[in-house]
Amino acid sequence: MRIEGFRTASAAGRVRTEATIVWEEADRPAFVVFFDVAGPSGREVDANAFVAAAAMPAYRRGERRIAVEGSVCPRLRDGIAAAAALLGAWHRHPGPTPAIEPAGGFVPPRPAARRRAAILASGGIDSTFEILRNRRDLPVDHPLSFREAVRLGDFIFPVDSSPERRAHVEARSSRSVWAIADAAGLERSEVSTNAAVLEPEAEGHMRWTHGSLLAAAGIAAGRDLTDVTISASHDLVQGLRAWGSHPLIDPNFGTAAVAVHHRGIESSRLRKTAAIARWPAALASLYVCGQGPLPGETANCGACEKCVRTRVSLLVGAGIEEPPTFPPGRVSAETIDAIAPLEGFRIMSYYWDELAPAARDAGRRDLAAAIGRLIARQEAHDRWFRAQGWKGALRRTDERWLGGALRRARRARRPR
Amino acid sequence: MKIGAIRRTGTAGEDTIEARVEWEDAGRPPFDLHFSFLSGDVPAADPNAFLIAVFVAALRDGERRIAVEGAICPVLRDGLRAAAAVLGSWYGGDRRMPALEPSEGFRAGYPPAAGGEAIFLSGGLDSLDLLLSRGAGLPREHPAAVRRAIFVTRCGLFPDEPQLAETGARSERAVRATAAEAGLPLTVVSTNLLGLQGSLRSFALESHGSFFAAIAQLLSGRVSTVALAASDDVMSGLHPWGSHPLLDPLFGTSAVRFVHDGIGIKREEKAARVGGSEPGRRHLYTCSFPLPGDPLLNCGRCEKCLRTMVELLVAGALAESETFPRDVTADAIRSLPGVPSYRRLDYYWEPMASGARRAGRPDLADAIDERLEANRRAEEWERDRGWTGLLRRLDRRWLGGRALAFRRRIARGAR
């Protein structure tokens, strides 16, 4: 792989840095990756962000080197080797780590004279909990007290979502993130990038590049930042999974100027949700839903798996029956029964296991029973998905030889 | 458990921080835990250090709370909760997170404005490689550059054994020379902490990351990050171990980040980098059983010496070493002394057989294979020791394992 042709342009308070990614081993077309930065620290993005974003896709696709214009931090080089080794071991990918070949050599970037911490914020449970905790535990003059909320714009799967969907999701996400940032006294910062296209399938992204892409956005967010926090999406209560964002992965994508922290593994999602429920400003802006476009002004559809899970968590963890950013109405056993099985890499029981006992403890045996049915239904679906027979053979053929094109076409026919 | 009477004592050139540790549930006698800086610098009287130091033992021995005199960092509080979950998932048992009760509440400490890093040096392969990679990766004037080395000279287990005194003296000599040549001030620490934590086995499996993290915390106010070299790497496989990339960072605070570094570097890469370096050639020290009066730093006969020698040989660096005998014989490997099972002889030695073949020493590769096979047999035998072992052996031999299968069926039925 080569990363070349760096160019920068500024307009309307945003700085865009682009570079062309040229694949040398993988049969993929050259591609222009951009980082578009707006906010107090926004400046030209250096090569480290591009290398952090491209390294795992390059490794996964068998690239032998990453030749890059400019210099690369030696700590990032070593971190990439460690992350590739870990992800390779987890996903049984035996290939060698691409050699990093910076034209300007390995030069550690200098950190800002004063430490400045930021959080990558999505408006969802994990990052909002980290903001809450940071504000609760650290005095505002502490170097690790968050100063900025960095929102990752254009971060949407499938990467070829319709412009309508993209615009709607962006609007809801930014409204939520900025409201929470304002409530917490954080400056707003935004990084938009199309680097997700380097690993365009949601599954590949979640398993391989989730953490490195977030870290790249953190590096890109500005040269004044010294500490960037990525919120844990998994926890030790349910068990950590081999995942693209992980406490063993994310910190590897830091540099000598920007440390990347992965925080929140000790708290379950239910516990985080219950904590957020006691922060009215966050509750009033909570955004967890990637569906869209949605009718009206609602932030969340209220019916997808993640929405229902969050509503159940708010109900059994904090007694909130009608959370403000969801459509009116109470969550019921029927709502849970209506959840469609998850496909592919998401594990329903991972997310729902802790909710059944919590529902029982909250006196909602009906919800606990519905959760039991949901998990059983998912297991039956998984067995069916792995099944023998012509449908199983077709699915396997599609995944192996057509890269899941039939599955995507079928999904595209469904109403969103 | 109560941690109290945190106080500073000491004489000229030896500053000590002490605390009294009292068990409440484990039925163990009180313990006066101390950390002494023997190098002229002064340890921070930081309650977080004592909490980190005792945490794994308190968790393992079932203490329901840890009451600490002073304030505790909220980042550490959350990290310890995660550490309890990690250790519980690895080793099971009744590990319940003790309640943390600091007398002055939870309060975040501040890192120094001019941060800088410190690294632990032991004289061995891992820490020397850390010095060469992390230490040399950044120019000295860089704000995040390594500015200090830390060496632990006594740790409180078997303090009167002359063998350990000899080991400590030699490793200190090696580390002092290494740090001086690298231009790093050296903090030399003596502690009795290992006496509190129990056996070498539990130190290795559960607590040695926290042991070093506690000492790192004593440098709060002077450094913002302390790095410890990884002993295991991803390519050979990570497994539950007292110092681990998942566990060690959890013992950091808002003032001192604790980093576990080097999991992406294979031992053979470390051997090549260290063996080819000046400090590696002149100061590498790994020996568990040094011979008094021996002009060579390392005995060349203990397991750790032989392992390192083969690694250096494969890297083409043994012939240049000034601290080891310059060759290894197959007989020495065949008569390699046994190590406790938790030390996992095969983890380190198995990859070396192919390396030795590549280096044109099939005699050593064959000897490694033979020694590992003997080790496997010994471990199997050990697992079958005692009267239960006798029964298992009789069952296997005369009943074809039917008794064991029957017992398992009964157990399944009972569940």
Side-chain angles (χ1 to χ4, degrees):
Chain A
M1 172 183 282
R2 298 194 308 275
I3 306 176
E4 59 193 22
F6 281 85
R7 54 225 176 249
T8 304
S10 304
R14 303 180 77 89
V15 182
R16 171 170 288 210
T17 309
E18 294 182 343
T20 305
I21 306 277
V22 180
W23 300 84
E24 294 183 315
E25 313 294 334
D27 185 18
R28 302 179 75 185
F31 177 71
V32 175
V33 166
F34 68 81
F35 285 94
D36 200 15
V37 185
S41 334
R43 303 221 186 103
E44 178 185 345
V45 175
D46 68 25
N48 288 301
F50 287 84
V51 171
M56 291 306 103
Y59 168 54
R60 195 178 175 207
R61 311 286 164 153
E63 295 291 307
R64 282 181 294 188
R65 66 166 190 166
I66 302 175
V68 57
E69 289 174 3
S71 60
V72 170
C73 178
R75 292 230 168 131
L76 177 61
R77 172 200 59 200
D78 296 344
I80 285 171
L86 271 166
L87 288 165
W90 288 347
H91 302 315
R92 296 191 176 86
H93 179 82
T97 309
I100 313 286
E101 298 177 2
F106 291 102
V107 180
R110 287 186 74 83
R114 293 191 62 186
R115 285 178 79 172
R116 184 176 170 89
I119 178 155
L120 284 151
S122 69
I125 297 292
D126 300 317
S127 65
T128 305
F129 174 75
E130 282 310 318
I131 293 172
L132 172 68
R133 174 159 71 171
N134 187 271
R135 280 290 173 268
R136 186 190 65 199
D137 288 345
L138 300 180
V140 288
D141 66 340
H142 193 282
L144 293 176
S145 173
F146 297 147
R147 304 282 195 283
E148 283 182 36
V150 178
R151 192 181 87 84
L152 188 52
D154 279 333
F155 191 53
I156 185 168
F157 283 93
V159 292
D160 55 355
S161 291
S162 68
E164 294 76 24
R165 175 165 187 256
R166 191 172 281 276
H168 200 264
V169 168
E170 281 291 294
R172 284 153 50 212
S173 155
S174 59
R175 207 161 49 226
S176 163
V177 171
W178 299 146
I180 292 169
D182 293 348
L186 300 174
E187 292 180 51
R188 300 174 176 192
S189 181
E190 186 170 85
V191 177
S192 293
T193 177
N194 62 346
V197 177
L198 293 168
E199 195 58 68
E201 284 295 312
E203 178 167 357
H205 169 73
M206 298 311 284
R207 288 191 191 281
W208 285 85
T209 61
H210 185 188
S212 57
L213 187 58
L214 292 174
I219 295 171
R223 288 181 186 165
D224 293 342
L225 293 182
T226 57
D227 296 87
V228 171
T229 292
I230 295 172
S231 313
S233 43
H234 293 150
D235 60 72
L236 289 159
V237 180
Q238 293 299 313
L240 297 175
R241 297 171 62 191
W243 207 241
S245 176
H246 189 284
L248 293 181
I249 296 291
D250 300 354
N252 289 306
F253 292 95
T255 67
V258 182
V260 175
H261 310 274
H262 180 104
R263 295 219 53 198
I265 55 170
E266 76 291 342
S267 297
S268 74
R269 194 174 169 87
L270 179 60
R271 186 187 164 117
K272 291 176 183 175
T273 309
I276 290 169
R278 292 191 290 274
W279 184 13
L283 193 62
S285 305
L286 195 61
Y287 164 74
V288 300
C289 176
Q291 305 299 311
L294 303 176
E297 290 293 303
T298 185
N300 302 289
C301 79
C304 70
E305 183 274 328
K306 206 168 174 188
C307 274
V308 176
R309 181 178 5 129
T310 307
R311 290 170 69 195
V312 171
S313 301
L314 286 166
L315 176 65
V316 302
I320 294 176
E321 293 189 329
E322 296 200 55
T325 59
F326 293 83
R330 295 179 180 181
V331 71
S332 65
E334 288 72 33
T335 328
I336 297 171
D337 284 337
I339 294 174
L342 300 175
E343 285 186 10
F345 58 99
R346 292 196 179 87
I347 301 175
M348 185 78 85
S349 58
Y350 185 89
Y351 301 112
W352 284 87
D353 259 353
E354 66 171 343
L355 294 182
R360 266 193 296 277
D361 292 347
R364 293 297 302 266
R365 293 184 169 276
D366 59 328
L367 298 186
I371 292 167
R373 290 195 295 276
L374 174 68
I375 293 171
R377 208 162 59 243
Q378 178 72 42
E379 285 168 355
H381 174 83
D382 291 344
R383 282 194 299 275
W384 174 84
F385 197 82
R386 289 191 297 269
Q388 295 82 17
W390 70 270
K391 281 187 178 172
L394 186 61
R395 278 191 293 277
R396 284 193 297 276
T397 306
D398 177 39
E399 293 297 331
R400 180 157 188 192
W401 300 109
L402 303 174
L406 292 178
R407 172 170 48 81
R408 283 198 298 279
R410 180 172 155 264
R411 278 188 192 162
R413 288 169 56 85
R414 283 190 205 151
R416 289 189 191 283
Chain B
M1 174 182 279
K2 287 193 281 194
I3 303 172
I6 299 177
R7 62 205 180 274
R8 187 187 300 281
T9 60
T11 55
E14 180 175 330
D15 266 285
T16 298
I17 295 292
E18 290 181 282
R20 169 146 278 226
V21 178
E22 294 177 84
W23 300 82
E24 295 182 308
D25 298 300
R28 293 175 60 177
F31 189 87
D32 288 318
L33 174 60
H34 73 79
F35 297 95
S36 297
F37 279 20
L38 311 177
S39 42
D41 41 357
V42 181
D46 190 337
N48 292 293
F50 287 96
L51 174 59
I52 297 166
V54 304
F55 180 75
V56 175
L59 180 72
R60 185 195 54 218
D61 292 350
E63 292 292 305
R64 281 176 294 183
R65 68 162 190 168
I66 305 177
V68 191
E69 182 183 286
I72 289 301
C73 175
V75 173
L76 176 64
R77 172 198 62 204
D78 297 341
L80 294 182
R81 193 184 296 142
V86 170
L87 289 167
S89 70
W90 286 350
Y91 300 121
D94 192 20
R95 286 179 172 79
R96 293 209 182 132
M97 175 71 192
L100 302 182
E101 298 177 3
S103 65
E104 294 174 22
F106 293 98
R107 197 168 63 231
Y110 284 64
E117 287 196 5
I119 60 172
F120 280 97
L121 281 183
S122 68
L125 189 69
D126 298 317
S127 74
L128 264 184
D129 188 65
L130 183 69
L131 175 70
L132 294 170
S133 57
R134 195 172 184 96
L138 303 186
R140 188 58 53 81
E141 68 276 10
H142 192 284
V146 173
R147 299 192 193 293
R148 179 176 289 275
I150 312 169
F151 172 70
V152 184
T153 178
R154 287 191 294 275
C155 55
L157 206 65
F158 321 125
D160 298 327
E161 245 181 53
Q163 190 67 62
L164 281 179
E166 181 71 20
T167 306
R170 287 185 178 225
S171 56
E172 184 168 341
R173 207 162 70 220
V175 167
R176 279 190 186 280
T178 304
E181 287 170 22
L184 295 175
L186 184 68
T187 297
V188 180
V189 183
S190 164
T191 177
N192 61 348
L193 173 54
L194 211 52
L196 178 91
Q197 290 183 336
S199 65
L200 270 178
R201 184 177 194 279
S202 77
F203 176 68
L205 291 176
E206 293 185 288
S207 66
H208 72 280
S210 63
F211 173 95
F212 289 108
I215 292 168
Q217 200 58 41
L218 297 169
L219 289 169
S220 62
R222 263 169 291 176
V223 296
S224 56
T225 303
V226 177
L228 179 68
S231 47
D232 295 350
D233 62 77
V234 179
M235 289 67 74
S236 310
L238 296 175
H239 48 257
W241 197 238
S243 174
H244 188 282
L246 189 57
L247 195 58
D248 292 355
L250 302 172
F251 298 114
T253 66
S254 61
V256 180
R257 193 159 72 111
F258 191 55
V259 174
H260 180 106
D261 194 25
I263 57 168
I265 308 167
K266 288 184 203 167
R267 278 191 78 79
E268 63 190 61
E269 292 174 62
K270 291 181 183 176
R273 178 154 48 199
V274 170
S277 73
E278 194 61 13
R281 201 170 58 79
R282 295 175 50 210
H283 306 305
L284 181 59
Y285 177 76
T286 63
C287 187
S288 308
F289 300 99
L291 308 168
D294 188 342
L296 278 178
L297 208 51
N298 300 286
C299 76
R301 287 184 285 197
C302 69
E303 186 273 329
K304 219 166 167 189
C305 273
L306 281 166
R307 184 208 313 166
T308 311
M309 288 166 68
V310 174
E311 286 166 339
L312 290 173
L313 183 140
V314 170
L318 183 61
E320 299 297 316
S321 171
E322 294 180 11
T323 65
F324 286 98
R326 293 191 171 176
D327 196 16
V328 191
T329 65
D331 281 344
I333 291 172
R334 282 194 196 94
S335 53
L336 196 66
V339 297
S341 56
Y342 67 84
R343 291 268 313 279
R344 305 161 302 149
L345 201 64
D346 54 346
Y347 182 86
Y348 295 108
W349 282 89
E350 216 162 68
M352 286 198 283
S354 57
R357 279 199 182 86
R358 276 200 312 276
R361 291 294 301 269
D363 58 325
L364 299 186
D366 292 344
I368 291 169
D369 288 342
E370 283 173 36
R371 181 64 186 83
L372 287 176
E373 181 53 34
N375 191 60
R376 271 190 285 274
R377 282 199 304 272
E379 282 184 1
E380 278 166 22
W381 180 86
E382 187 151 325
R383 278 196 292 273
D384 273 358
R385 220 162 38 175
W387 69 268
T388 51
L390 177 66
L391 281 180
R392 274 196 299 276
R393 288 196 297 278
L394 289 174
D395 175 41
R396 272 203 302 272
R397 180 151 189 195
W398 300 108
L399 302 172
R402 288 190 193 94
L404 181 63
F406 180 69
R407 183 175 153 268
R408 284 185 179 148
R409 267 207 305 279
I410 298 284
R412 270 200 300 274
R415 279 201 296 272

